[in-house]
Amino acid sequence: GEFKSRIDDNAMRLKLEGKNIYQVKFKNVGGLVTPLIIEWTYKDGSTEIDRIPAEVWRTNETEITKVFIKDKEAVNIILDPNFELADVEMRNNAFPKKTIPSKFDQFKKNN
């Protein structure tokens, strides 16, 4: 309660005016605690990579929600863009979700 009483809501709104706020939920399906590497692609075509240490999982090892405040509008978010993490399911690492053709579709296309 003491912390909340020191925050001025109007000052906070002014500080966040013109910013883009993103709330992203991460799930740890395999149980291995790893850092989070997030690539943001913005509307103007520029990119940015955020690296969040593995300590982020200390409060909850299965699921966390993180809020990001960005100056630019994001059009694409990719988790682990350079395949540095131990991840067996790569199809759920992008927003908006990308459709990946199945091996059958790829075989059909090549023949």
Side-chain angles (χ1 to χ4, degrees):
E2 181 183 333
F3 176 73
K4 280 183 135 182
S5 66
R6 290 185 289 165
I7 295 178
D8 181 15
D9 289 339
N10 292 329
M12 188 61 70
R13 283 188 190 97
L14 286 174
K15 192 174 189 179
L16 295 175
E17 190 173 331
K19 304 279 184 178
N20 297 288
I21 302 171
Y22 300 96
Q23 180 176 333
V24 184
K25 184 185 289 188
F26 300 96
K27 290 186 179 182
N28 185 354
V29 178
L32 182 63
V33 176
T34 63
L36 298 174
I37 303 169
I38 307 157
E39 180 182 70
W40 300 83
T41 304
Y42 298 110
K43 203 172 191 176
D44 64 1
S46 63
T47 61
E48 174 186 15
I49 293 184
D50 284 334
R51 294 180 179 271
I52 302 166
E55 286 84 7
V56 74
W57 297 102
R58 278 190 294 174
T59 56
N60 186 345
E61 291 182 12
T62 58
E63 181 179 292
I64 60 163
T65 301
K66 186 130 177 74
V67 175
F68 298 91
I69 301 171
K70 302 292 183 181
D71 292 326
K72 301 177 185 178
E73 182 180 344
V75 293
N76 193 18
I77 303 169
I78 299 175
L79 179 65
D80 191 22
N82 300 321
F83 309 109
E84 300 173 51
L85 304 176
D87 189 1
V88 294
E89 185 59 54
M90 307 285 205
R91 287 181 277 167
N92 61 359
N93 286 1
F95 178 83
K97 191 173 185 175
K98 294 181 180 179
T99 56
I100 300 172
S102 68
K103 291 194 182 251
F104 178 76
D105 291 335
Q106 290 174 353
F107 175 77
K108 194 169 133 181
K109 181 180 175 186
N110 292 334
N111 291 325

